[in-house]
Amino acid sequence: MMNSASPLIACFGEMLIDFVPDTSGVSLAESNGFLKAPGGAPANVACAITKLGGVSAFIGKVGEDEFGRMLVDILKRNGVNSDGVCFDQHARTALAFVTLKHNGEREFMFYRNPSADMLLKESELNMSLIKQAKIFHYGSISLISEPCRSAHIAAMKAAKEGGVLLSYDPNIRLPLWPSADAAREGIKSIWLEADFIKVSDDEVEFLTQKDSQKEDVVMSLWHDHLKLLVVTDGEKGCRYFTKNFKGKVAGFSVKAVDTTGAGDSFVGSLLCSIAKDPSIFQDEGKLKEALAFANACGAICTTQKGAIPALPTPSAAQALMSRSKAK
């Protein structure tokens, strides 16, 4: 099933159903119909990786229900290893109702009381899958409540002991945390463990409570164990910081209809590049190429509704890059 030649990227956390209004720019109350779309950032990243030709696994928990089975089926159809997925007999698969504003930005309303992903226990972790990965990727939603938080910490520890690279995209969803301060504290509680962190400009602002465009503000998030810190600036592109160099890479302008999954598409692309060639952390030229490609992947993802269906192939990303060069 798994292509052993390519390095495995294991993604840990939540997979859920997003209900997206069939018309953009209306509130949840005004919406007449909803399209059901698989979601959950770590699962989106896992699908982004396979779509780009990489090898990924998803580790998490869904409900033993129609939606949970549908999600595992989607992972399998997308070529993602699902050996690390468990089913909960008693809790439901999480749901999120997503409002699409006119500019493609989103608001969320979650149904998790508690949902299956929050109930993953340490004893249910597929440790062999975690240890055979080259990269272990996770977010912060799995830190919000027990027992999932303890499972998350244990999985990180096992990965770290196995020499696996730790990749962190906090993906802040404020309504899920008890308070803004609890979110900041929870997200920062595992900050120093990561080898690679990706944050959006909005997340920098939220975590530091300062202006994300200022370099000293971003650098307050740096720590000496980091190999790479990337700040995404929406359609403007991204900024990168390593021990030895820093800079920015321009984005691509496209007509955005739904930004869902754009960050996950970006991360999946970058993780593929890192897994293939870890020397990227020391080679600025290679890193800039990988980031330009990741920017193209993120941009393409915004041109279609839903996260997983909108994830790009390598040829689509390359086509966008060459069209932009031709201008």
Side-chain angles (χ1 to χ4, degrees):
M1 164 87 184
M2 273 162 47
N3 169 359
S4 52
S6 286
L8 170 68
I9 303 167
C11 302
F12 173 89
E14 69 286 349
M15 188 174 195
L16 56 140
I17 308 270
D18 286 336
F19 283 95
V20 188
D22 54 10
T23 38
S24 292
V26 297
S27 70
L28 292 179
E30 293 162 345
S31 178
N32 288 322
F34 294 90
L35 305 163
K36 71 178 198 289
N44 294 342
V45 171
C47 292
I49 289 162
T50 55
K51 196 121 180 225
L52 292 168
V55 178
S56 70
F58 175 72
I59 297 167
K61 199 175 201 183
V62 293
E64 178 71 79
D65 52 39
E66 285 272 329
F67 285 152
R69 286 189 288 272
M70 175 192 120
L71 291 175
V72 172
D73 194 50
I74 284 163
L75 289 173
K76 288 181 172 154
R77 281 211 304 271
N78 280 277
V80 175
N81 175 312
S82 60
D83 296 348
V85 180
C86 322
F87 290 93
D88 195 291
Q89 308 295 323
H90 308 291
R92 294 265 183 244
T93 302
L95 309 178
F97 285 83
V98 186
T99 314
L100 285 185
K101 296 190 236 170
H102 283 296
N103 61 356
E105 287 296 338
R106 316 144 297 173
E107 284 167 359
F108 296 90
M109 182 164 86
F110 292 95
Y111 283 71
R112 290 157 62 84
N113 53 337
S115 54
D117 58 288
M118 299 157 73
L119 301 175
L120 179 71
K121 299 194 288 282
E122 186 180 337
S123 60
E124 295 171 314
L125 289 171
N126 186 326
M127 286 300 196
S128 69
L129 200 54
I130 293 168
K131 287 178 176 154
Q132 74 187 60
K134 185 153 189 183
I135 299 174
F136 181 64
H137 175 74
Y138 46 87
S140 68
I141 291 174
S142 39
L143 296 170
I144 297 174
S145 47
E146 292 292 1
C148 188
R149 180 184 163 84
S150 293
H152 181 143
I153 305 288
M156 274 173 53
K157 191 166 176 277
K160 187 149 223 130
E161 283 167 4
V164 182
L165 186 100
L166 299 189
S167 162
Y168 186 22
D169 176 357
N171 248 309
I172 298 168
R173 298 283 178 267
L174 213 44
L176 295 179
W177 292 88
S179 68
D181 284 339
R184 272 187 281 268
E185 195 182 321
I187 286 159
K188 286 181 171 170
S189 69
I190 59 166
W191 200 260
L192 301 177
E193 266 59 61
D195 297 293
F196 161 61
I197 294 175
K198 173 252 158 186
V199 270
S200 70
D201 48 357
D202 294 346
E203 289 167 338
V204 171
E205 209 133 298
F206 173 74
L207 290 169
T208 62
Q209 296 172 280
K210 294 181 182 140
D211 180 357
S212 64
Q213 292 312 307
K214 295 196 167 133
E215 192 172 302
D216 60 330
V217 171
V218 174
M219 287 312 287
S220 71
L221 295 173
W222 176 266
H223 64 79
D224 283 341
H225 180 69
L226 269 178
K227 293 181 163 69
L228 175 64
L229 172 66
V230 172
V231 179
T232 53
D233 291 302
E235 68 267 20
K236 295 202 294 278
C238 64
R239 290 170 275 163
Y240 60 88
F241 303 85
T242 73
K243 286 189 176 69
N244 305 315
F245 48 78
K246 59 180 190 221
K248 57 170 183 253
V249 180
F252 298 89
S253 84
V254 291
K255 188 177 165 12
V257 295
D258 178 8
T259 57
T260 311
D264 304 325
S265 180
F266 176 93
V267 169
S269 170
L270 189 51
L271 292 181
C272 278
S273 300
I274 293 168
K276 275 208 230 31
D277 184 4
S279 78
I280 204 166
F281 294 127
Q282 289 84 38
D283 184 327
E284 191 167 11
K286 278 184 193 165
L287 179 62
K288 285 182 94 148
E289 263 172 56
L291 289 168
F293 187 73
N295 282 344
C297 289
I300 288 169
C301 195
T302 67
T303 59
Q304 204 183 321
K305 275 195 187 148
I308 293 172
L311 294 168
T313 57
S315 57
Q318 265 133 12
L320 174 60
M321 290 171 83
S322 46
R323 274 203 307 282
S324 303
K325 275 195 194 111
K327 275 180 194 164

